[in-house]
Short mmCIF file of all heavy atoms in Angstrom, two decimals:
data_model
loop_
_atom_site.label_atom_id
_atom_site.label_comp_id
_atom_site.label_asym_id
_atom_site.label_seq_id
_atom_site.Cartn_x
_atom_site.Cartn_y
_atom_site.Cartn_z
N ARG Y 1386 0.91 4.86 -3.84
CA ARG Y 1386 0.79 6.29 -3.96
C ARG Y 1386 1.77 6.80 -5.01
O ARG Y 1386 2.85 6.27 -5.19
CB ARG Y 1386 1.07 6.96 -2.61
CG ARG Y 1386 0.08 6.52 -1.53
CD ARG Y 1386 0.56 6.92 -0.16
NE ARG Y 1386 0.66 8.36 -0.03
CZ ARG Y 1386 -0.35 9.12 0.37
NH1 ARG Y 1386 -1.51 8.59 0.65
NH2 ARG Y 1386 -0.19 10.42 0.50
N TRP Y 1543 -4.17 -0.76 13.59
CA TRP Y 1543 -4.84 -0.37 12.35
C TRP Y 1543 -6.23 -1.01 12.30
O TRP Y 1543 -6.45 -2.09 12.84
CB TRP Y 1543 -4.06 -0.84 11.13
CG TRP Y 1543 -2.84 -0.03 10.81
CD1 TRP Y 1543 -1.77 0.18 11.63
CD2 TRP Y 1543 -2.57 0.66 9.59
NE1 TRP Y 1543 -0.84 0.95 10.98
CE2 TRP Y 1543 -1.30 1.26 9.74
CE3 TRP Y 1543 -3.26 0.81 8.40
CZ2 TRP Y 1543 -0.71 2.02 8.72
CZ3 TRP Y 1543 -2.68 1.57 7.38
CH2 TRP Y 1543 -1.42 2.17 7.56
N GLU Y 1544 -7.17 -0.34 11.63
CA GLU Y 1544 -8.49 -0.91 11.41
C GLU Y 1544 -8.40 -2.16 10.54
O GLU Y 1544 -9.05 -3.17 10.79
CB GLU Y 1544 -9.42 0.11 10.73
CG GLU Y 1544 -9.88 1.23 11.62
CD GLU Y 1544 -10.78 2.21 10.89
OE1 GLU Y 1544 -10.95 2.05 9.65
OE2 GLU Y 1544 -11.32 3.13 11.53
N LEU Y 1569 -6.34 2.91 13.46
CA LEU Y 1569 -6.06 3.85 12.38
C LEU Y 1569 -6.73 3.38 11.09
O LEU Y 1569 -6.66 2.20 10.74
CB LEU Y 1569 -4.55 3.94 12.13
CG LEU Y 1569 -3.69 4.67 13.16
CD1 LEU Y 1569 -2.23 4.37 12.91
CD2 LEU Y 1569 -3.94 6.16 13.09
N SER Y 1570 -7.32 4.30 10.36
CA SER Y 1570 -7.83 3.98 9.03
C SER Y 1570 -6.65 3.92 8.06
O SER Y 1570 -5.55 4.43 8.35
CB SER Y 1570 -8.81 5.06 8.56
OG SER Y 1570 -8.14 6.30 8.37
N ASP Y 1571 -6.85 3.30 6.90
CA ASP Y 1571 -5.78 3.26 5.88
C ASP Y 1571 -5.36 4.67 5.50
O ASP Y 1571 -4.16 4.96 5.35
CB ASP Y 1571 -6.27 2.51 4.64
CG ASP Y 1571 -6.39 1.02 4.87
OD1 ASP Y 1571 -6.02 0.55 5.95
OD2 ASP Y 1571 -6.85 0.32 3.94
N GLU Y 1572 -6.34 5.55 5.32
CA GLU Y 1572 -6.03 6.92 4.91
C GLU Y 1572 -5.18 7.63 5.95
O GLU Y 1572 -4.17 8.28 5.62
CB GLU Y 1572 -7.33 7.69 4.68
CG GLU Y 1572 -7.12 9.12 4.21
CD GLU Y 1572 -8.42 9.85 3.96
OE1 GLU Y 1572 -9.50 9.22 4.08
OE2 GLU Y 1572 -8.37 11.05 3.65
N ASP Y 1573 -5.57 7.51 7.22
CA ASP Y 1573 -4.79 8.15 8.28
C ASP Y 1573 -3.41 7.52 8.40
O ASP Y 1573 -2.41 8.22 8.63
CB ASP Y 1573 -5.52 8.05 9.61
CG ASP Y 1573 -6.73 8.98 9.69
OD1 ASP Y 1573 -6.81 9.91 8.85
OD2 ASP Y 1573 -7.59 8.77 10.57
N GLY Y 1574 -3.35 6.20 8.26
CA GLY Y 1574 -2.07 5.52 8.37
C GLY Y 1574 -1.08 5.98 7.31
O GLY Y 1574 0.09 6.24 7.60
N MET Y 1575 -1.54 6.10 6.06
CA MET Y 1575 -0.65 6.51 4.99
C MET Y 1575 -0.25 7.98 5.14
O MET Y 1575 0.88 8.37 4.83
CB MET Y 1575 -1.30 6.27 3.64
CG MET Y 1575 -1.58 4.79 3.34
SD MET Y 1575 -0.24 3.68 3.82
CE MET Y 1575 1.14 4.37 2.94
N ALA Y 1576 -1.18 8.81 5.64
CA ALA Y 1576 -0.82 10.22 5.89
C ALA Y 1576 0.24 10.31 6.98
O ALA Y 1576 1.17 11.13 6.89
CB ALA Y 1576 -2.07 11.00 6.29
N LEU Y 1577 0.14 9.45 8.00
CA LEU Y 1577 1.14 9.44 9.06
C LEU Y 1577 2.48 8.91 8.55
O LEU Y 1577 3.54 9.35 9.01
CB LEU Y 1577 0.64 8.61 10.24
CG LEU Y 1577 -0.48 9.24 11.06
CD1 LEU Y 1577 -1.06 8.24 12.06
CD2 LEU Y 1577 0.02 10.48 11.78
N PHE Y 1578 2.44 7.95 7.63
CA PHE Y 1578 3.68 7.46 7.01
C PHE Y 1578 4.41 8.62 6.35
O PHE Y 1578 5.61 8.83 6.56
CB PHE Y 1578 3.34 6.38 5.97
CG PHE Y 1578 4.53 5.80 5.26
CD1 PHE Y 1578 5.11 4.62 5.69
CD2 PHE Y 1578 5.06 6.43 4.15
CE1 PHE Y 1578 6.21 4.08 5.02
CE2 PHE Y 1578 6.16 5.91 3.48
CZ PHE Y 1578 6.73 4.73 3.92
N ASP Y 1579 3.68 9.40 5.54
CA ASP Y 1579 4.28 10.54 4.86
C ASP Y 1579 4.83 11.55 5.86
O ASP Y 1579 5.95 12.06 5.71
CB ASP Y 1579 3.25 11.23 3.96
CG ASP Y 1579 2.76 10.33 2.83
OD1 ASP Y 1579 3.46 9.35 2.52
OD2 ASP Y 1579 1.70 10.62 2.27
#
Side-chain angles (χ1 to χ4, degrees):
R1386 299 166 63 89
W1543 284 59
E1544 287 180 355
L1569 288 167
S1570 66
D1571 288 355
E1572 182 179 356
D1573 287 344
M1575 296 318 305
L1577 288 171
F1578 180 96
D1579 296 341

